[in-house]
Each structure stands twice: as structure tokens, then as C-alpha cells.
Amino acid sequence: MNLPNKLTVLRVIMIPFFVFFMLTDVGGDANKWIALILFVVASLTDFLDGKIARKYNLVTNFGKFMDPLADKLLVCSALICLIDMQRIPSWIVIVIIAREFIISGFRLVASDNGIVIAASYWGKFKTTFQMLMIIVMILDLGGVFDTISLVLMWIALILTIVSLVDYIAKNVNVLTQGGM
């Protein structure tokens, strides 16, 4: 278990705490800030684990599989919380989560064929914009930030769809190898 993989596991461990502070009033007004800090720290572990893994040649199959899964768990958890808080339309979250299920399905078929598919650049851009959107939505500062939130939401949605199309186009051979 190298450092990048430990950071990935840490990100997964942080998710229930993040959700707890997003959806409860235990900490009063501090909940929003605690949830924000947890989300930002978890998001930074995503950046750090990949950077460290590539720089020090610590890329593992575990990391290639778990890193994108940890991102999906973090982002999807946040988006579901934001639906509950009425900050994002549920249909947008459904599109985003549907994309994640489709990609996960591709990864399962690929792994059955001994292939590990790493995240693409489009997928990384998508994740970055989703995380930025979530941060702005958690902050919920109103005014111009509502417009920024809306713009980030549409960019994240577009990147979600573009990354899905790119992923399918680049990996369609996995489906034919998988006997589908």
C-alpha cells in the first residue's frame, strides 16, 4: 500500500464524514464549513495521489481502479446531498450518475478481459469542474456566486457527456472483446 493508494483510501474514508456534516445540523452553522473543508481536502487527495503516483512511478492496478471509484463516490455523494438541499436539479445528477454507471460497467467488462482502463483527460476535466461546482454550491454565497454555480453546473454537465462519448469511442473494443 503505497502513498498514492493510502490517499485514495483516505478520500473514501472521508466521504461518510462529509455527508454527515452536509445533511445534519449537529455543528450548527459550522456544518457547511466543516463539510466544505472535508470536500476540499478529499478533492486535493485526488490531485495529489495521481501526481505522486506518476512522478515516483507508483502507478498500480489498485490505484487505476480505486482512484476513479473514490472520485465517483465523493462526487456522487456530494451531488445527492445537494439535491436534498435543493441546490442542483435531480435530472442533472441522474445524468452524471448514469455516466458513472456506464463507465463502471465498461471497467468491469475490461477487467474481466484482464484490461485496466485508466481515467482519460476528459474524465479528469469533468471531475475537476464537478468538484469546483460542488464547492461553489456548498458555499451557497448567493449573488454572483449563484451565476457562477449555474455556469459551472452546465460546464460540468457538458464535460460529463463529452467524456462519456470519448470514453465509449476509445474503448468500444472492450465491449466486442467482452462478448456483448
Side-chain angles (χ1 to χ4, degrees), residues 14 39 41 78 82 97 103-104 109 137 141 154 157 175 177:
M14 293 174 78
F39 186 83
V41 170
L82 290 167
I97 291 175
I103 300 305
S104 294
V109 171
M137 287 182 174
L141 297 174
W154 285 106
L157 180 63
L175 290 177
Q177 290 175 0

Side-chain angles (χ1 to χ4, degrees), residues 1 11-12 45 47-48 50 70 79 92 98 112 117 124 136-137 141 149-150 153 162 171 176:
M1 183 65 70
R11 185 161 64 255
V12 173
T45 66
F47 171 76
L48 286 174
L79 291 172
I92 290 178
D112 282 349
I117 302 174
K124 291 177 184 187
V136 172
M137 287 182 174
L141 297 174
S149 176
L150 189 62
M153 180 183 72
V162 168
N171 297 291
T176 57

Side-chain angles (χ1 to χ4, degrees), residues 4 7 9 13 34 36 39-40 43 53 60 63 71 80 87 92 97 102 107 119 121 124 140 169:
L7 289 171
V9 170
I13 291 169
I34 295 168
L36 179 67
F39 186 83
V40 169
S43 298
T60 64
D71 296 342
I80 291 167
R87 295 197 188 141
I92 290 178
I97 291 175
I102 292 166
R107 284 202 168 103
Y121 285 107
K124 291 177 184 187
D140 192 30

Side-chain angles (χ1 to χ4, degrees), residues 4-22:
N5 290 343
K6 287 178 183 176
L7 289 171
T8 298
V9 170
L10 174 63
R11 185 161 64 255
V12 173
I13 291 169
M14 293 174 78
I15 294 168
F17 297 99
F18 162 73
V19 170
F20 175 80
F21 285 104
M22 282 288 285

Side-chain angles (χ1 to χ4, degrees), residues 90-100 157 160-161 164:
S90 57
W91 73 267
I92 290 178
V93 175
I94 290 168
V95 169
I96 291 170
I97 291 175
R99 182 255 184 219
E100 302 308 336
L157 180 63
T160 295
I161 295 166
L164 173 63

